[in-house]
């Protein structure tokens, strides 16, 4: 049951997404009846599933919602702006109810009440929703329907009842020599085939050579088979599945007498749909005529086999069950175009649900494969084999394949950003309502794919940035109007792929960043000296500093104790970067650039002491060879390095991580200029650079616990383990006087 | 061999959960031959190409809804009398009435219990065991 529940909630998520998308589509002018139908179906399915799990609250609310949607569907209720606003709110409540049903907790009764009343007021029905379920139940019991028992023959007959379709296939089968060499036997296949139906076989021996010319391992026989079967071609083909490619096989179907061909099905479908569209009375009454006969016949049977039937309702005359023919309501007619559209549209995408663990296991194995392949390449290089040797060529292909497999597996984990983007319209509605602003959200590139984990961890920062864009970015409607802008502010959320990364823009057409104010606040809070010379860009970036918050009053929306620094940190934790561009009076754009996967990273492999470390390439700005004159002591053991009229702290990675205690000569090593939290630059001193490569990330936390200064580990081509440096932690550690002491706290925070 | 052993049932429903619930119910009743379709069109293709003794179908489905499926089955000679049980939600009274017009053999209100499923089934095809 638990597994079923899980599936139900998964489906609920999809239905809720469909519901919201549909409602928004209608709001933006979509008038396709299929949208309304899809929306209705979504709520209906949730109701149906919820009923199965006895989720009474959910069922009740979904029922009221469904009632209103049904009226829209039937054209009794116009989908006006007012109606849609109520329905969107109802969709939010429904989503909450689903979430509560899954995770526990409770939904504010008042909210459900309000939403229910609003919905009820639309459908014109008395707000009987709270007691609605029992009422309908009572109604149903009144409903007189007698099950129509079928003239079911005794089951022996059932078994011998002729199958509806008899197909005749002509199969020619000529094995290749490889079929025999892979231990397959034609006679076994033919026997299998015989089990499907009536079969006649002719063996073609004309190609058998003279004994002197006969190759004992050759293949000379071919068969022509006629098969009469009730099975379909796929079943026949299935028998030859394992010898596919090892034989010449043709299967020609002679359409069976009563086999329902595609054409027949199509014709029937077309007729059904036309009927649904045409004035219905005729069709209905015609059908009724047939059905009366059927039902009467069935009723005779029914009374004669009375004792075998456990009838749920008292047995009436079957005629009573027939309701007078009435014209079908509009809904029925509305379904015709929808069905046509669905039929002519592309086939539904086929998907399977796979446990995430399995994909992750596969991902891990591919990681091993990548490492293994790197090892082989390294051994090959060490063995001094020429690059043109067969072995090297084979290995190149292997490398290519490994990369393809890796990409393939990553593609499995990849998901469109739609799942996160979809949560935003609701957020926008809530924030807009709370701030009294008018906002239109436009999303682009919802289909852009990125790793599932990235998507999951993107939700919080995005939520925060959108909140900020509305709360701080957009002006009040009256201010906008005064400035000659549309009253309705625009927030654009878009995603694209750019050079192997995903780039997400959050743009608003608000007032832009108020630079004098940002500067004043930063000075006020002591984040910058009063006379600092800052470019516009540098001022904009001040909002990412910890402890900066521009909201003068902590509003309910933005003031949750987190600022843009948290956003920046969480994006950096994903190996990403945030940048701003802002024009006064025209708006701001925040750009996030993120890696497509968290499973591999591009790193610079460096030597420190006797250790090999990997520094993520995303944090490295440049590498340089320090000249002795550039390095200056700076109190205690601290040193700075002069870099283009600027001093940046020089951090000896070896000492920081405790690999050595004595001070080394910077001139003997290499400095990596890195950018860490808050945009501060530092130079990391390492002994030597080995190279740049893609490495597979292996978490240490799972098996070992968190190590200060180390983000994760990886396995190099020569089989050694190398640690991946956590640049931010190392820099922060150096600033606070050593990783070992109080930096643990900094990491925990 | 009981009827349950031989009965070939087709479940047509666009919700996986719903299909699985019906399937579990049917299996509990000892029915072994169960096929699935996730919309009316698929259902119709199945019924027209494979021997089917009983169709249990939802109403609301994409492409072709339960009523459309029912009508198509009733209009196609060989399947004209194939027993058809409609799954409905609570309060879908109008729907059931319409379905009766087009010749359902029984209906079953979701959510249902296994005994209710059994009763509904046996009312149409006779004792399962």
């Amino acid at each position: 049951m638990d597994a079923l529940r899980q599936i139900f909630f998964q489906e609920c998520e999809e239905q809720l997404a469909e519901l919201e998308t549909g409602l928004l589509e209608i709001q933006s002018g979509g008038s396709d009846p299929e949208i309304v139908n899809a929306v209705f179906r979504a709520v209906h399915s949730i109701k149906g599933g919820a009923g199965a799990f006895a989720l009474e609250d959910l069922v009740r609310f979904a029922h009221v919602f469904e009632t209103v949607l049904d009226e829209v569907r039937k054209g009794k209720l116009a989908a006006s702006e007012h109606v849609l606003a109520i329905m969107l709110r109802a969709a939010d409540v429904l989503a909450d109810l689903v979430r509560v049903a899954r995770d526990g907790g409770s939904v504010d009764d008042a909210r459900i009440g309000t939403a229910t009343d609003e919905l009820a007021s639309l459908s014109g029905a008395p707000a009987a929703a709270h007691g609605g379920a029992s009422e309908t139940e009572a109604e149903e019991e009144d409903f007189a329907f007698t099950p129509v028992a079928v003239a079911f023959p005794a089951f022996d007959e059932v078994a011998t009842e002729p199958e509806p379709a008899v197909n005749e296939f002509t199969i020619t089968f000529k094995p290749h020599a490889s079929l025999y060499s892979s231990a397959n036997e034609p006679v076994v296949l033919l026997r299998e085939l015989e089990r499907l139906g009536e079969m006649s076989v002719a063996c073609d021996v004309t190609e058998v050579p003279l004994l002197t010319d006969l190759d004992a391992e050759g293949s000379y026989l071919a068969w022509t088979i006629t098969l009469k079967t009730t099975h379909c071609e796929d079943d026949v083909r299935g028998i030859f599945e394992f010898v596919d490619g090892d034989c010449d096989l043709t299967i020609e179907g002679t359409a069976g007498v009563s086999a329902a061909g595609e054409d027949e099905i199509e014709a029937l479908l077309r007729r059904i749909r036309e009927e649904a569209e045409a004035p219905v009375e005729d069709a209905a009454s015609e059908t009724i005529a047939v059905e009366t006969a059927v039902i009467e016949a069935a009723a005779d049977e029914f009374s004669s086999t009375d004792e075998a039937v456990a009838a749920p309702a008292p047995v009436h005359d079957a005629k009573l069950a027939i309701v007078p023919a009435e014209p079908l309501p509009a809904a029925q007619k509305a379904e015709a175009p929808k069905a046509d559209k669905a039929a002519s549209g592309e086939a539904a995408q086929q998907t399977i649900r796979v446990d995430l663990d399995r994909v992750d296991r596969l991902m891990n194995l591919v990681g091993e494969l990548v490492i293994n392949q790197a090892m082989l390449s390294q051994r090959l290089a060490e063995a001094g084999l020429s690059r043109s040797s067969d072995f090297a060529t084979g290995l190149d292909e292997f490398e290519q394949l490994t990369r393809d497999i890796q990409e393939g597996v990553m593609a499995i984990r990849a998901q469109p950003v739609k799942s996160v983007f979809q949560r935003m319209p609701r957020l926008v509605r809530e924030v807009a309502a709370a701030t009294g602003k008018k906002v239109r959200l436009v999303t682009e590139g919802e289909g852009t794919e990125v790793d599932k984990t990235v998507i999951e961890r993107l939700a919080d920062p995005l939520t925060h940035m959108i909140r900020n864009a509305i709360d701080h970015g957009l002006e009040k409607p009256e201010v906008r109007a005064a400035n000659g802008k549309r009253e309705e502010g625009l927030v654009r959320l878009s995603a694209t792929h750019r050079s192997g990364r995903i780039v997400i823009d959050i743009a608003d057409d608000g007032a832009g960043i108020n630079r004098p104010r940002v500067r004043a606040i930063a000075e006020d809070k002591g984040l910058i000296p009063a006379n600092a010379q800052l470019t516009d860009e540098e001022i904009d970036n001040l909002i990412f500093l910890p402890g900066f918050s521009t909201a003068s009053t902590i509003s309910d929306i933005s003031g949750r104790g987190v600022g843009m620094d948290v956003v920046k940190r969480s994006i950096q934790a994903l190996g990403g970067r945030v940048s701003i561009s802002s024009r006064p009076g025209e708006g701001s754009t925040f750009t996030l650039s993120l890696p497509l996967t968290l499973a591999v990273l591009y790193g610079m492999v460096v030597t420190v002491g006797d250790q090999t470390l990997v520094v993520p390439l995303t944090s490295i700005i440049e590498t340089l060879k320090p000249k002795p004159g550039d390095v200056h002591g700076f109190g205690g053991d601290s040193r700075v390095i002069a870099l283009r009229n600027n001093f940046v702290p020089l951090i000896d990675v070896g000492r920081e991580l405790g690999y050595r205690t004595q001070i080394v000569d910077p001139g003997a090593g290499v400095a990596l200029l890195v950018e860490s939290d808050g945009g501060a630059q530092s130079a990391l001193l390492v002994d030597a650079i080995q190279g740049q490569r893609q490495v597979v990330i292996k978490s240490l936390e799972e098996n070992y616990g968190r190590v200060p200064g180390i983000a994760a580990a990886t396995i190099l081509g020569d089989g050694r383990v190398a640690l991946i440096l956590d640049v931010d932690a190392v820099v922060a550690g150096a600033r606070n006087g050593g990783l070992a002491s109080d930096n643990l706290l900094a990491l925990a925070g | 061999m009981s009827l349950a052993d031989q009965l070939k049932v087709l479940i047509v429903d666009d919700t996986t959960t719903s299909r699985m619930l019906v399937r579990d119910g049917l299996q509990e009743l000892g029915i072994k031959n169960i096929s699935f379709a996730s919309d009316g069109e698929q259902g119709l293709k199945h019924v027209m190409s494979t021997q089917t003794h009983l169709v249990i179908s939802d109403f609301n489905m994409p492409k072709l809804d339960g009523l459309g499926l029912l009508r198509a089955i009733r209009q196609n000679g060989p399947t004209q009398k194939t027993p058809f049980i409609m799954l409905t939600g609570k309060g879908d009274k109008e729907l059931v009435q319409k379905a009766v017009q087009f010749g359902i053999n029984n209906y079953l209100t979701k959510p249902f219990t296994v005994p209710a499923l059994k009763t509904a089934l046996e009312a149409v095809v006779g004792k399962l065991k």
Side-chain angles (χ1 to χ4, degrees):
Chain A
M1 204 62 172
D2 266 359
L4 255 182
R5 257 182 95 93
Q6 213 179 334
I7 294 175
F8 165 65
F9 285 118
Q10 267 176 17
E11 280 190 342
C12 272
E13 288 301 323
E14 287 161 21
Q15 310 284 14
L16 286 170
E18 187 142 324
L19 167 64
E20 176 148 1
T21 316
L23 287 176
L24 291 173
E25 223 169 298
I26 300 171
Q27 194 176 33
S28 58
S31 58
D32 187 344
E34 173 56 8
I35 304 176
V36 184
N37 278 322
V39 166
F40 177 81
R41 260 202 313 277
V43 177
H44 183 80
S45 296
I46 292 176
K47 185 180 99 167
F53 295 102
L55 304 167
E56 290 303 331
D57 289 349
L58 194 52
V59 174
R60 259 199 304 278
F61 188 75
H63 179 74
V64 183
F65 198 174
E66 186 192 56
T67 313
V68 177
L69 283 169
D70 197 33
E71 301 211 340
V72 175
R73 197 165 70 133
K74 289 177 177 162
K76 290 184 194 163
L77 182 68
S80 66
E81 192 65 29
H82 172 67
V83 170
L84 278 165
I86 290 177
M87 291 207 286
L88 279 164
R89 271 198 295 278
D92 294 345
V93 172
L94 192 66
D96 285 346
L97 281 167
V98 168
R99 210 189 52 237
V100 164
R102 182 184 52 204
D103 307 332
S106 64
V107 180
D108 186 7
D109 275 342
R111 258 187 79 209
I112 303 177
T114 319
T116 311
D117 292 342
E118 279 181 335
L119 284 173
S121 72
L122 290 181
S123 66
H130 295 283
S134 56
E135 191 182 308
T136 49
E137 249 173 315
E139 259 176 53
E140 253 169 58
E141 275 160 27
D142 290 343
F143 180 63
F145 171 70
T146 311
V148 185
V150 175
F152 227 79
F155 41 78
D156 290 339
E157 285 172 54
V158 172
T160 56
E161 185 185 317
E163 302 265 332
V166 178
N167 298 316
E168 198 174 310
F169 294 105
T170 308
I171 304 156
T172 62
F173 171 52
K174 182 176 190 323
H176 300 164
S178 59
L179 183 139
Y180 297 99
S181 64
S182 57
N184 280 300
E185 180 58 65
V187 78
V188 178
L189 297 169
L190 293 177
R191 271 190 206 133
E192 281 282 316
L193 209 53
E194 195 177 11
R195 294 197 349 210
L196 294 185
E198 235 174 281
M199 178 172 99
S200 62
V201 187
C203 185
D204 176 6
V205 293
T206 50
E207 281 188 35
V208 180
L210 290 174
L211 199 55
T212 47
D213 301 331
L214 189 100
D215 176 0
E217 291 181 359
S219 169
Y220 304 105
L221 298 176
W223 288 269
T224 308
I225 306 137
T226 352
L227 177 72
K228 275 187 191 153
T229 175
T230 54
H231 289 263
C232 59
E233 187 178 326
D234 281 349
D235 291 345
V236 177
R237 212 165 271 284
I239 289 182
F240 294 96
E241 191 183 345
F242 293 109
V243 293
D244 190 27
D246 290 330
C247 61
D248 296 328
L249 181 71
T250 61
I251 299 177
E252 273 170 29
T254 335
V257 216
S258 66
E262 288 283 312
D263 293 348
E264 199 182 330
I265 293 177
E266 281 306 311
L268 190 55
L269 281 173
R270 218 174 308 123
R271 206 162 71 221
I272 292 295
R273 279 165 190 152
E274 274 163 16
E275 266 175 29
E277 230 173 339
V280 196
E281 285 98 302
D282 286 350
S285 50
E286 191 184 315
T287 320
I288 286 300
V290 175
E291 288 321 298
T292 315
V294 172
I295 291 171
E296 269 168 354
D300 293 343
E301 193 66 34
F302 184 68
S303 45
S304 67
T305 57
D306 208 5
E307 70 284 1
V309 173
V315 181
H316 298 293
D317 184 349
K319 279 177 191 163
L320 282 184
I322 298 163
V323 181
E326 56 178 64
L328 295 179
Q332 191 66 26
K333 290 176 192 161
E335 262 150 23
K338 145 220 150 181
D340 275 344
K341 183 189 157 224
S344 61
E346 66 226 72
Q349 208 174 358
Q350 294 232 328
T351 57
I352 55 164
R353 287 180 204 281
V354 181
D355 196 13
L356 195 56
D357 276 353
R358 291 192 192 180
V359 179
D360 285 348
R361 221 171 318 148
L362 189 59
M363 192 79 176
N364 274 334
L365 286 174
V366 173
E368 302 290 335
L369 189 65
V370 171
I371 292 164
N372 242 293
Q373 177 266 318
M375 279 185 194
L376 273 175
S377 300
Q378 190 151 346
R379 290 288 135 74
L380 180 74
E382 283 163 10
L385 274 174
S386 100
R387 291 295 300 164
S388 59
S389 68
D390 283 354
F391 193 74
T393 326
L395 202 61
D396 279 346
E397 275 166 24
F398 179 43
E399 191 176 338
Q400 183 61 42
L401 265 177
T402 313
R403 213 173 300 139
D404 289 351
I405 293 174
Q406 195 184 15
E407 276 170 19
V409 178
M410 281 183 199
I412 297 179
R413 275 192 61 99
Q415 285 191 328
V417 290
K418 193 171 174 190
S419 58
V420 186
F421 278 21
Q422 261 171 350
R423 300 188 209 170
M424 299 305 154
R426 171 175 182 179
L427 174 82
V428 169
R429 283 199 294 282
E430 285 175 354
V431 179
T435 53
K437 292 174 182 173
K438 289 189 181 169
V439 189
R440 188 158 59 95
L441 176 73
V442 175
T443 54
E444 287 162 13
E446 290 185 320
T448 314
E449 289 189 336
V450 67
D451 188 89
K452 185 174 160 57
T453 315
V454 176
I455 289 191
E456 279 162 6
R457 296 213 237 151
L458 207 54
D460 281 345
L462 268 189
T463 307
H464 199 79
M465 291 172 89
I466 295 224
R467 268 200 197 116
N468 269 336
I470 301 171
D471 197 21
H472 301 312
L474 295 181
E475 315 91 326
K476 296 247 179 220
E478 55 274 17
V479 179
R480 291 180 65 92
N483 289 338
K485 290 183 178 178
R486 285 170 58 119
E487 279 194 7
E488 190 183 52
L490 181 73
V491 175
R492 195 170 50 82
L493 183 60
S494 62
T496 47
H497 277 153
R498 209 176 294 155
S499 52
R501 290 170 79 83
I502 181 169
V503 178
I504 297 177
D505 281 339
I506 301 108
D508 63 68
D509 69 344
I513 288 176
N514 185 341
R515 295 198 176 108
R517 189 150 155 266
V518 166
R519 195 191 162 109
I521 290 169
E523 280 175 20
D524 208 35
K525 299 204 166 162
L527 300 171
I528 50 166
N531 54 356
Q533 294 288 318
L534 297 177
T535 61
D536 284 353
E537 200 182 324
E538 281 168 330
I539 296 177
D540 290 347
N541 277 294
L542 288 175
I543 64 168
F544 288 121
L545 289 181
F548 184 94
S549 173
T550 54
S552 37
T553 56
I554 292 181
S555 68
D556 183 33
I557 306 304
S558 309
R560 299 215 170 171
V562 292
M564 289 300 286
D565 59 317
V566 177
V567 169
K568 182 159 187 177
R569 211 161 35 206
S570 46
I571 296 299
Q572 277 173 337
L574 288 171
R577 288 170 171 280
V578 194
S579 60
I580 319 174
S581 77
S582 177
R583 297 168 77 103
E586 287 176 27
S588 318
T589 302
F590 287 81
T591 304
L592 309 180
S593 147
L594 293 152
L596 294 178
T597 170
L598 299 179
V600 292
L601 74 83
Y602 287 91
M604 189 172 278
V605 184
V606 300
T607 313
V608 177
D610 54 357
Q611 296 287 326
T612 302
L613 297 175
V614 178
V615 185
L617 269 188
T618 45
S619 41
I620 300 177
I621 300 168
E622 61 177 285
T623 60
L624 48 130
K625 191 98 185 136
K627 291 194 244 353
D630 292 341
V631 181
H632 307 277
F634 190 69
D637 287 342
S638 306
R639 285 176 296 178
V640 291
I641 182 166
L643 184 76
R644 293 186 281 272
N645 305 325
N646 204 354
F647 288 100
V648 295
L650 182 67
I651 299 163
D652 181 350
V653 176
R655 283 188 67 190
E656 214 44 59
L657 295 176
Y659 293 154
R660 57 180 167 233
T661 48
Q662 77 285 13
I663 297 173
V664 291
D665 171 22
V670 183
L672 312 177
L673 189 65
V674 294
E675 192 184 75
S676 56
D677 271 356
Q681 293 190 345
S682 319
L684 298 183
L685 183 65
V686 300
D687 296 356
I689 293 174
Q690 294 182 13
Q692 242 170 258
R693 73 181 59 132
Q694 190 188 45
V695 297
V696 179
I697 301 173
K698 301 267 172 199
S699 169
L700 281 178
E701 273 171 63
E702 239 167 78
N703 302 312
Y704 191 74
R706 195 143 195 190
V707 187
I710 302 300
T714 188
I715 302 171
L716 297 172
D718 57 7
R720 280 181 306 152
V721 173
L723 299 174
I724 300 172
L725 208 62
D726 181 345
V727 172
D728 287 342
V730 168
V731 171
R735 219 178 273 151
N736 298 338
L739 272 167
S741 53
D742 49 344
N743 196 53
L744 279 172
L745 270 177
L747 280 167
Chain B
M1 289 279 270
S2 66
L3 182 57
D5 288 328
Q6 304 189 5
L7 208 59
K8 292 183 181 168
V9 183
L10 171 70
I11 303 173
V12 193
D13 198 320
D14 59 330
T15 357
T16 319
T17 328
S18 194
R19 282 200 301 273
M20 291 173 87
L21 282 168
V22 179
R23 180 201 63 189
D24 290 357
L26 291 177
Q27 283 176 345
E28 215 168 297
L29 297 176
I31 292 170
K32 297 187 178 65
N33 291 309
I34 305 173
S35 308
F36 304 96
S38 60
D39 61 58
E41 240 177 72
Q42 264 191 38
L44 184 61
K45 281 180 190 158
H46 184 93
V47 172
M48 289 180 74
S49 60
T50 319
Q51 190 186 23
T52 306
H53 298 138
L54 175 68
V55 178
I56 301 180
S57 171
D58 189 25
F59 176 74
N60 264 294
M61 289 179 296
K63 293 193 181 166
L64 183 68
D65 66 18
L67 220 48
L69 172 63
L70 171 65
R71 292 167 44 182
I73 289 178
R74 290 287 177 258
Q75 289 188 20
N76 174 46
T79 62
Q80 206 174 34
K81 295 190 176 177
T82 305
F84 196 106
I85 296 180
M86 183 79 88
L87 291 170
T88 70
K90 274 184 190 170
D92 290 339
K93 193 175 144 191
E94 263 180 62
L95 196 87
V96 177
Q97 288 180 343
K98 219 181 297 162
V100 169
Q101 280 180 39
F102 288 114
I104 48 165
N105 298 76
N106 206 348
Y107 70 97
L108 186 61
T109 312
K110 290 197 278 189
F112 56 86
T113 58
V114 176
L117 178 67
K118 182 168 186 252
T119 312
L121 233 66
E122 293 195 333
V124 176
V125 300
K127 276 262 181 260
L128 287 173
K129 296 233 173 206

